[in-house]
Amino acid sequence: MEVIVSHQNTDFDSLASMVAAQKLYPKAPIVFSGSKEKNVREFLDLHPSFFHVRRLKELDLSNLERLIIVDTRQRDRIGQLSHIVAERQNVELHIFDHHPVHESDLSGKINEIRDIGATTTIMLAHIKSRKLEISPQEATLFALGIYEDTGCLTYPSTRPEDVEAVAYLLKNGANLDTVTNFINRELTSEQLAILNELMSSSENYDINGVRVVIAKASYDKYVADLAVLTHKLRDMGNLEVIFTLVQMHERIHLVGRSKVESVDVGSLAEYFGGGGHTTAASAMIRNSTLEEIEEILLSLLDKYIKPVIKAKDIMSSPVITINYNSTVEEARRKVLSHNHTGFPVVKNDKLVGLITHKDIYKTINHGLGGDKVIGYMHPDVTVLNPSVGLNEVQKIMIESHIKYLPVVDNDKLVGILTYTDVLKSHHSRNKVRVPRNADADFRYHTKNVTSLLENRLTPDILRLIKKMGKIADEMRYNAFLVGGLVRDLLIGVDNLDIDIVVEGLGVQFARELVKKLGGRYIAHKKFATAIVVLPNGFKIDIATARTEYYEFPTALPTVELSSIRYDLYRRDFTINALAVNINPSEFGALVDFFQGRQDIKRGIIKVLHNLSFVDDPTRIFRAVRFESRFGFKIDKQTEHFIDNALQLGVLEKINNQRIREEIILLLSEGDPWVGIARLGALNVLKKIHPKMKADLKARHLFEQVKEVLAWFNLLYLKDKVHRWLIYFMALTNRLDAAELNDFAREIRLNKKHFQVLQTLHEKKVMIHQKLNARQALRDSEIYQTLSHIPLEILLFIMSDTKNENIKKRISRYITDLRKVRISLTGRDLAQIGIPQGPQYSALLETVILGKLDGEIKSKDDEIAMVKSYYAGRKKTSIS
């Protein structure tokens, strides 16, 4: 059995190609894989018995041996038959198509793919070579197919073979009146309404020298022939490139037309799940808004249209500026923070001058650091228009001896261009891309780590990363692995936390991952980030490449979109400012702008800029944490920056909740004492609380906690304890109850953990007194003393005491006594006749105590004890 099929949105070229294929494969029925365009439906209604068409559900596809696919070769565009193609390798494919090559194309036993105006022309060549006769009706349909896909032989994709095919059809009786009626039809009132909205909403964009028009409209029901409306708009305005976006119901229909060779609308439509030719294409999109699709389309066009290198292509943006009213001292701090040699000066967002680092330091040396920047800036600034070519930029720099030039568009500062940018543009081997609102990025690839990825990651994780890289490629995004995984990969530590940064729209990338891989995503639009949760529960963090600015020391950062270089520059340390490209063409390339790999080899923790700890003091804790975790050493310059930040009082200004989180993370490390001792040496501990010390006494207590926890782990109990909380008790051991309460409130400790600390101070003395008894204690007495005490407290007391009796009794409780269970339940008490109430707990605990002391051997003993105890209590209450 054999079947003929085309793409899901049947137009005249696909219908004509299927009918032509049926003449070559006379036993094969035609099957529609999806919907039909309105004019195609009307044509079929006029010729109901002309075609041998079958419904898919009428066919027994278990016997399918051959599939003839025309006017497409993408698996996901042939509807339900795609599953058969994927699952049954024995089905023979014969493919005839004229669309551009795509990496996801099917391949068959016969593949006739030609760069030609219409697939119908390909099929006619076979009909002519076999000398098969065609009827006037068939000739008319074939002419419709060619005329529609070549724009009546006017599209740039039209080839001489298409014109010759039309001549052949005319000789065989093709009716041009019928062709005209279906190609050039009068618009319905609904189509006119949409056309008017498209005309009024049309927006012009100049993208790298190409004029692009995007028009949008909405309609409450489906209206066919959007391609016809797009043609009319294009012809009315003599437009080079046009995209129409029309929302009908919950779907957005995109149609693109292009007369420009550099704009392949077919490739752009493929991004949205559609397809077509370089000059004409379409797509249907679900679960998006018109504004989202327009934004994505503009972003793709920015990246896709190859530009002539201009100032706007290689400038750095967004620009870090300084306000005219700022002091020179503030300018100095900004120079140190961003490692720049100067800044544009702005007033009400307009460029008014330029100040260099030399100007700044000369002014400060004269004791004028408190003066305003405006008094020492250069007011006469040479500026560039964004469209100025690279050669002209270089000429201006050489002739004027200027190393950096602001780029201004309509009085608005949009970028800055340095001599280094110009040199890199000449010498970089990478293609210049133009991310919107971001600088062109010239990456430093120092090593390929593909073999490390293959050795360190599981096969499933590696396949997942490669899939994400392929999806990024399809979206024309650059995607990178970043964060701890890259660092740990080079160190040799296992880490399966996947963090991805894309040069593009992070939330849109997450949406596309979910579309292709399944699962769901949670978007955080403010920070342009998302979390993807795959069907198996595995989580992936997605972020847009961004830069951060700190409006004042210790503030949370302000986020702006940027490139991978700026994204890495905002990281805390060089060892964390590494990325690995996952796009197929550069898979495994290590991106290392700041010598992070070298610092890993040297075992050094180093910040990226001088004011790193002033911007974010919690980095002090992170530096210590990484130092202790990896056995690294904070380098001398970074240690100096820590000391300088502490002298400025940055810890006093930071949100105490952030200090809490950093303390918890540090106490969760394998050996917390290493980090605590380092905080002590750096004079950080006493700034957290004056009674916290890292002396020998504290060290001994931490070592005891470590030993007790090692003992507890060897018991292999199901109970989970918060290790960090026990170390926290050791850290705060010298604080009295009032001081501990105040400190816990200051750092906003979790209510549950706060209560554990309160219980420690309330019960510690009582526990010592009762368990310190020299005489033998019954098991029931130990149980009664400890049964309501959290395990963290018991383990800490074991660590803190030197009394062997206390240690042994707590150990016995943990290992044996608390595991004792009785057979009696609340239901049994009810059956005995005891009314429900608080006495149930007391009765059951009495039974447990009896069992602990050996007074109870069986369930009957338990019942007897309850009856006796209850009767005694009842008699007492009556008397």
Side-chain angles (χ1 to χ4, degrees), residues 166-342:
V166 170
Y168 167 75
L169 295 172
L170 290 174
K171 290 178 183 177
N172 282 273
N175 188 329
L176 288 183
D177 287 336
T178 302
V179 172
T180 301
N181 286 337
F182 280 95
I183 296 294
N184 299 312
R185 315 191 70 182
E186 290 188 10
L187 301 181
T188 65
S189 59
E190 295 167 330
Q191 290 173 324
L192 283 171
I194 293 175
L195 181 61
N196 286 331
E197 189 175 346
L198 288 171
M199 290 171 65
S200 62
S201 70
S202 295
E203 292 191 40
N204 288 273
Y205 298 92
D206 186 339
I207 302 178
N208 299 324
V210 177
R211 183 190 174 202
V212 177
V213 172
I214 298 180
K216 306 189 295 291
S218 299
Y219 207 72
D220 57 2
K221 61 180 180 179
Y222 177 75
V223 177
D225 294 339
L226 179 57
V228 174
L229 304 183
T230 308
H231 276 292
K232 287 192 176 293
L233 271 179
R234 184 199 64 181
D235 296 340
M236 289 163 59
N238 191 25
L239 306 176
E240 294 178 322
V241 181
I242 180 171
F243 290 91
T244 53
L245 305 172
V246 181
Q247 185 152 23
M248 293 183 269
H249 296 300
E250 295 179 353
R251 300 176 181 180
I252 293 174
H253 299 259
L254 176 150
V255 176
R257 295 292 183 264
S258 172
K259 294 180 182 178
V260 180
E261 186 176 348
S262 62
V263 182
D264 180 355
V265 294
S267 294
L268 290 166
E270 283 176 7
Y271 168 81
F272 294 103
H277 313 277
T278 57
T279 57
S282 62
M284 185 176 67
I285 308 150
R286 295 181 174 87
N287 301 323
S288 289
T289 65
L290 288 170
E291 289 71 23
E292 287 175 333
I293 300 304
E294 181 181 27
E295 183 181 355
I296 295 166
L297 184 58
L298 285 170
S299 178
L300 290 172
L301 287 165
D302 257 351
K303 292 177 175 64
Y304 185 75
I305 299 175
K306 294 180 180 179
V308 175
I309 299 179
K310 300 176 182 178
K312 64 180 179 180
D313 301 333
I314 58 173
M315 69 185 186
S316 296
S317 177
V319 187
I320 301 172
T321 62
I322 191 159
N323 190 278
Y324 79 105
N325 212 25
S326 299
T327 65
V328 176
E329 173 58 26
E330 288 171 336
R332 182 190 71 83
R333 293 178 66 181
K334 203 158 193 174
V335 165
L336 291 173
S337 175
H338 294 281
N339 199 28
H340 286 196
T341 56

Side-chain angles (χ1 to χ4, degrees), residues 361-563:
Y361 286 112
K362 282 182 181 178
T363 305
I364 287 175
N365 286 339
H366 285 84
L368 302 172
D371 287 9
K372 304 297 183 185
V373 164
I374 193 169
Y376 304 96
M377 71 181 188
H378 299 275
D380 298 322
V381 182
T382 302
V383 300
L384 295 174
N385 184 280
S387 61
V388 172
L390 181 60
N391 290 337
E392 182 65 19
V393 171
Q394 191 169 2
K395 183 180 177 183
I396 292 171
M397 285 185 166
I398 292 172
E399 291 179 355
S400 305
H401 303 286
I402 298 173
K403 291 186 177 180
Y404 31 82
L405 292 166
V407 183
V408 176
D409 188 16
N410 294 325
D411 291 330
K412 183 181 179 181
L413 181 64
V414 294
I416 193 161
L417 195 58
T418 69
Y419 195 65
T420 304
D421 295 329
V422 174
L423 288 175
K424 285 180 179 178
S425 69
H426 280 300
H427 296 291
S428 173
R429 294 181 180 179
N430 295 327
K431 291 183 179 178
V432 176
R433 298 185 318 99
V434 191
R436 298 183 72 198
N437 299 320
D439 64 331
D441 174 34
F442 300 89
R443 298 193 181 86
Y444 293 156
H445 290 168
T446 60
K447 178 182 175 68
N448 192 289
V449 295
T450 300
S451 60
L452 279 176
L453 291 169
E454 291 171 346
N455 292 332
R456 285 282 172 190
L457 303 181
T458 66
D460 287 343
I461 295 294
L462 187 62
R463 278 193 294 271
L464 172 63
I465 291 171
K466 288 184 175 181
K467 283 180 183 177
M468 290 192 289
K470 187 176 180 182
I471 292 169
D473 240 24
E474 292 168 358
M475 298 176 72
R476 292 186 172 85
Y477 286 175
N478 283 322
F480 306 87
L481 278 174
V482 297
L485 188 149
V486 180
R487 176 199 66 222
D488 292 349
L489 190 72
L490 296 175
I491 292 175
V493 176
D494 290 337
N495 188 336
L496 296 181
D497 292 334
I498 296 183
D499 294 286
I500 301 292
V501 164
V502 296
E503 289 181 326
L505 302 172
V507 174
Q508 180 60 33
F509 182 66
R511 185 181 301 164
E512 192 67 16
L513 288 185
V514 169
K515 178 181 175 183
K516 297 285 179 67
L517 305 177
R520 58 189 175 86
Y521 72 96
I522 305 162
H524 305 283
K525 293 186 178 179
K526 179 181 178 182
F527 295 103
T529 63
I531 298 172
V532 172
V533 184
L534 297 179
N536 63 1
F538 190 81
K539 293 181 180 178
I540 306 164
D541 288 321
I542 307 294
T544 301
R546 61 195 194 270
T547 188
E548 296 176 345
Y549 308 112
Y550 293 83
E551 297 295 334
F552 53 88
T554 76
L556 289 173
T558 299
V559 175
E560 293 184 7
L561 302 189
S562 186
S563 67

Side-chain angles (χ1 to χ4, degrees), residues 574-599:
T574 57
I575 65 169
N576 291 330
L578 295 160
V580 174
N581 195 304
I582 63 171
N583 293 74
S585 61
E586 297 184 62
F587 186 82
L590 180 69
V591 181
D592 181 9
F593 292 106
F594 311 108
Q595 291 75 54
R597 178 169 165 254
Q598 180 181 336
D599 289 341

Side-chain angles (χ1 to χ4, degrees), residues 64-77:
L64 183 65
E65 297 176 349
R66 179 185 296 158
L67 190 61
I68 301 98
I69 304 173
V70 297
D71 203 32
T72 187
R73 56 189 185 282
Q74 293 184 23
R75 180 184 288 118
D76 58 359
R77 299 201 74 196

